[in-house]
Amino acid sequence: DQQVKQNSPSLSVQEGRISILNCDYTNSMFDYFLWYKKYPAEGPTFLISISSIKDKNEDGRFTVFLNKSAKHLSLHIVPSQPGDSAVYFCAASVITGAGSYQLTFGKGTKLSVIP
Amino acid sequence: KAGVTQTPRYLIKTRGQQVTLSCSPISGHRSVSWYQQTPGQGLQFLFEYFSETQRNKGNFPGRFSGRQFSNSRSEMNVSTLELGDSALYLCASSPTVETQYFGPGTRLLVL
């Protein structure tokens, strides 16, 4: 059972426009949500995160929105640039009783920004 | 500050063999996690180590094991390799609960 879902495998956006990547989750115990960007042959690069007690976090061109009631989060990239073309992973974190945590990832959305 | 390093970057093994992968975390990070990435299953959590203790383990068979040394470097071992173990194995180190920094991965091919 997929606890974190990215329903759009791919997205194409014109340079300068807004890119919106979506993510849904099912586990209400998740307390942190993160977005990672991945280029081929490289490990994921951390982009931005949000705590479950917030509904918005902004960092430069990247903004993450969290709607807990809908169990939905989204990543907005404004303005989109060709260098943003990559696979974007949504991830959710839960802290276990041992103080440990693990990330559960969605399957990714491939973003293509067209010049 | 140097990032997470993983060795080797590429590896070819045959079924039944065993393999050991190594990860050096970012200096000062005490938590190291391992993930497996395959086209079908995506990124899946293997285990997490903190101060040489395994704190958490994902749903993988006992053939997958790991350890962490006193300098926070970590190794993972896969015994009796199967074709389905072909994957990109990623290591991540973390200073805080909410952020993990990934290495470039080790691509394992099992023939």
Side-chain angles (χ1 to χ4, degrees), chain B residues 53-69:
Chain B
T53 301
Q54 185 182 91
R55 292 199 298 189
N56 199 4
K57 189 176 183 349
N59 294 325
F60 279 81
R63 300 186 297 106
F64 291 81
S65 63
R67 58 178 176 168
Q68 186 180 34
F69 302 94

Side-chain angles (χ1 to χ4, degrees), chain B residues 12-86:
Chain B
I12 300 175
K13 291 285 188 180
T14 56
R15 278 180 300 174
Q17 287 187 309
Q18 74 160 14
V19 67
T20 299
L21 312 181
S22 181
C23 171
S24 292
I26 293 171
S27 177
H29 291 190
R30 293 165 64 190
S31 170
V32 174
S33 299
W34 288 89
Y35 293 83
Q36 180 196 65
Q37 185 182 22
T38 58
Q41 298 298 319
L43 273 153
Q44 292 187 289
F45 173 77
L46 278 157
F47 25 67
E48 188 241 353
Y49 286 86
F50 182 85
S51 293
E52 302 177 65
T53 301
Q54 185 182 91
R55 292 199 298 189
N56 199 4
K57 189 176 183 349
N59 294 325
F60 279 81
R63 300 186 297 106
F64 291 81
S65 63
R67 58 178 176 168
Q68 186 180 34
F69 302 94
S70 58
N71 62 358
S72 293
R73 190 178 70 85
S74 178
E75 289 180 347
M76 69 162 280
N77 184 279
V78 188
S79 62
T80 320
L81 284 165
E82 300 176 0
L83 295 179
D85 297 333
S86 295

Side-chain angles (χ1 to χ4, degrees), chain A residues 4 12 21 23 32 37 44 53 61 63 65 67 72 78 111 115:
Chain A
V4 177
S12 288
L21 296 102
C23 179
Y32 251 97
K37 172 179 171 181
I53 62 173
R61 297 186 297 114
T63 303
F65 295 91
N67 182 333
H72 176 84
V78 184
L111 174 65

Side-chain angles (χ1 to χ4, degrees), chain A residues 32 34 36 38 41-44 46 49 89 93 95-96 98-103 105-107, chain B residues 9 31 35 37 40-43 45 48 55-56 88 90 94 96-100 102-104:
Chain A
Y32 251 97
L34 307 91
Y36 284 84
K38 187 177 186 302
E42 293 183 13
F46 170 74
S49 64
F89 289 94
S93 172
I95 299 177
T96 69
S100 176
Y101 54 92
Q102 67 184 67
L103 293 179
F105 283 86
K107 296 214 170 172
Chain B
R9 292 293 311 277
S31 170
Y35 293 83
Q37 185 182 22
Q41 298 298 319
L43 273 153
F45 173 77
E48 188 241 353
R55 292 199 298 189
N56 199 4
L88 180 67
L90 291 159
S94 178
T96 61
V97 66
E98 70 271 15
T99 309
Q100 295 189 11
F102 284 82

